[in-house]
Amino acid sequence: MPRDLPDRIHQQRRDLGDRIRALRKGLPATQERLAEMTGIDRRTLQRIERGTSDPKYSDLALLAEALHVTVADLVRW
């Protein structure tokens, strides 16, 4: 069952997804290509970019590496 999260958390997840999407497009790479580069399921990546998923730290680390940034750059508030 999904938990009720404050609106600020939902916004932070959307902001994270927006940053990941912008960095991915700057490569340029498709979601499918980024999924291949990281080993993250494409549907999981879609949910992360939409801000509807709480990514695991290991996924953030893989994404940061593929996008040539630090995890801190991805999750900055």
Side-chain angles (χ1 to χ4, degrees):
M1 168 174 264
R3 2 170 227 196
D4 259 342
L5 297 172
D7 288 341
R8 73 183 188 296
I9 300 300
H10 290 289
Q11 185 59 53
Q12 289 171 352
R13 286 195 325 201
R14 286 189 295 273
D15 292 345
L16 171 64
D18 290 345
R19 279 191 294 279
I20 291 170
R21 182 180 308 105
L23 289 165
R24 173 180 60 78
K25 288 183 174 185
L27 283 179
T30 63
Q31 284 182 341
E32 186 172 330
R33 178 66 184 126
L34 185 57
E36 290 170 2
M37 292 167 62
T38 60
I40 297 170
D41 182 76
R42 186 180 53 81
R43 282 169 293 217
T44 299
L45 182 56
Q46 287 173 330
R47 287 189 293 270
I48 292 170
E49 284 193 3
R50 281 195 316 262
T52 59
S53 172
D54 284 322
K56 299 183 295 188
Y57 179 84
S58 57
D59 290 344
L60 290 175
L62 290 167
L63 286 165
E65 184 177 297
L67 297 168
H68 309 292
V69 297
T70 66
V71 173
D73 290 332
L74 288 181
V75 298
R76 73 181 189 280
W77 309 127

